[in-house]
Amino acid sequence: MDSKKTVYPYIPNSAPDVQAEMMAEVGISDVMELYEEIPEAIRYQGALNLPEAIPDEQGIKRHIEGILSKNKNCNEFSNFMGAGCAQHYVPAVCDEIASRGELLTTYGAETWADHGKYQIFFEYQSLMAELLDMSFLTVPCHCGGQASATGLRMACRITGRNKVLLPHTMNRQNLALVRNYLKMIDADQEIKIELIACRSDTGMLDLEDLKSRLDQDTAAVYIENPTFLGIIETQGEEIGKLAKAAGAEFIVYTDPISLGVLEAPANYGATICVGDLHGLGLHLNFGGGQAGFIASHDDMRYITEFKELVDGMVETTVPGEQGYSVVLIERTHYAMRENGKEFTGTQNNLWTAPVAVYLSLMGPKGMEEIGHTIMTNAKYAAKKLAGIPGVSLRFPSVFFKEFVVNFDKTGKTVEEINQLLLSRQIFGGVDLSRDYPELGQSALYCVTETADKESIDRLAGALQAILN
């Protein structure tokens, strides 16, 4: 590599005169003296095997664009994949606000220089609380899986119990995260996870199996609604009653974009509501456009168990003026340190801005309209695909956005079908055969407001040609 000293335009301290001044201040003559505590024997000797640096902005841009151009993306391909990260339309104003320098470039989108961020956090919390028909939210956590895991831990602390019941069809990525998060080094504090069977004919929860598993150790019953397989769980109210009768918390994982047409979980008994924000003004971002939310009613038994920061409205020294600030910080590990109930840190605070903008733009009527659009598009797609010889819908239940398509009678695997769809610039449904072998050669298809009749008809035509 070139040994000539490089001065990086965006790193002021890389300038030799600046470095020399800093080294003189701390009394060293070489930067490596800062690492004198690291034994010489374990220091790497020689140059790292790295490519030559690209010193100019234009060259870096060209290099990165060359790499990104190899990707197959949803602008060029029709997308029917979801499974927890679906493609939704993002209004331009969401990006306009989220990309403002005072929001985008701050560490963790935090409030070191406020510029209105505290109010953005407050407005986000208020809008989400209204959508969920609950009273209390914090700023987001990492993702919906993290929200699920923390919600379950909250339930265990509230009840003093150590067993949680989850649906067998739960999102497998979220389930893996929950299993990891609930595992403890100390076996005495281990939280036991049991999976509730789901009915093979409807895909909904098997209530008899649920009843057999409820006992005095059950801290929470957790369901997804809509389920991971897209099915609307119409037994929610009855499940909630069974959970509460056993002294357990009722936790519902929901898709917030469905709540313009589906009842909010709070209104059929949920004590804790969790989910992912990715459908509300966030791009796919290679899976990065996600953030988790947790909500509860206005009850200090629940509020004190939240691990994230929360922002509230306060009076200032100026009469009639309102300010925004972090409140109830004493319940977090920031105040409790090693005695904190759970750790929190840099999360997804930036995403509060586009979510708040999205909900403000849509309003109740807009959320209702987009919910109807998604259900109409998905129903049309399901009907078109089910009309192809050898193809069928796996469940007859009402669904939202996603539905299971079975290909057992076609003589082809989902993997083979999806490879052939790729050649036609179509992302087919997510292959379920590995995680749910009992469903046979089935795929989870996702249809949102971004799909139109033309793209759905093209998918049906491509499948018709591939299978016949």
Side-chain angles (χ1 to χ4, degrees), residues 36 215 244 248 308 368 434 459:
E36 62 183 3
D215 57 28
K244 292 175 183 178
E308 315 298 351
E368 179 183 354
R434 184 184 68 177
L459 167 65

Side-chain angles (χ1 to χ4, degrees), residues 242-390:
L242 290 171
K244 292 175 183 178
E249 298 298 321
F250 180 36
I251 303 176
V252 178
Y253 184 103
T254 192
D255 182 348
I257 206 168
S258 72
L259 297 182
V261 290
L262 300 185
E263 186 61 86
N267 296 326
Y268 52 86
T271 55
I272 298 173
C273 184
V274 299
D276 199 292
L277 297 165
H278 84 272
L280 305 179
L282 303 181
H283 293 280
L284 292 174
N285 287 354
F286 296 91
Q290 296 187 286
F293 65 84
I294 308 173
S296 77
H297 295 292
D298 186 11
D299 185 334
M300 289 305 293
R301 290 189 309 125
Y302 296 89
I303 291 172
T304 55
E305 298 301 334
F306 280 75
K307 73 186 186 75
E308 315 298 351
L309 297 177
V310 62
D311 294 83
M313 184 184 293
V314 297
E315 293 182 352
T316 72
T317 56
V318 179
E321 184 180 70
Q322 298 293 336
Y324 300 88
S325 178
V326 172
V327 297
L328 299 174
I329 196 170
E330 64 277 2
R331 66 193 162 69
T332 71
H333 94 277
Y334 288 104
M336 301 173 72
R337 310 312 295 171
E338 70 275 10
N339 295 317
K341 297 169 183 176
E342 289 185 54
F343 173 81
T344 189
T346 304
Q347 308 272 312
N348 288 320
N349 290 350
L350 175 63
W351 295 147
T352 60
V355 171
V357 170
Y358 185 89
L359 291 175
S360 299
L361 282 173
M362 298 295 285
K365 186 63 176 176
M367 293 301 291
E368 179 183 354
E369 288 178 357
I370 199 168
H372 280 300
T373 300
I374 290 171
M375 293 193 77
T376 300
N377 288 355
K379 186 175 182 179
Y380 175 74
K383 184 177 181 180
K384 289 286 291 188
L385 300 191
I388 300 171

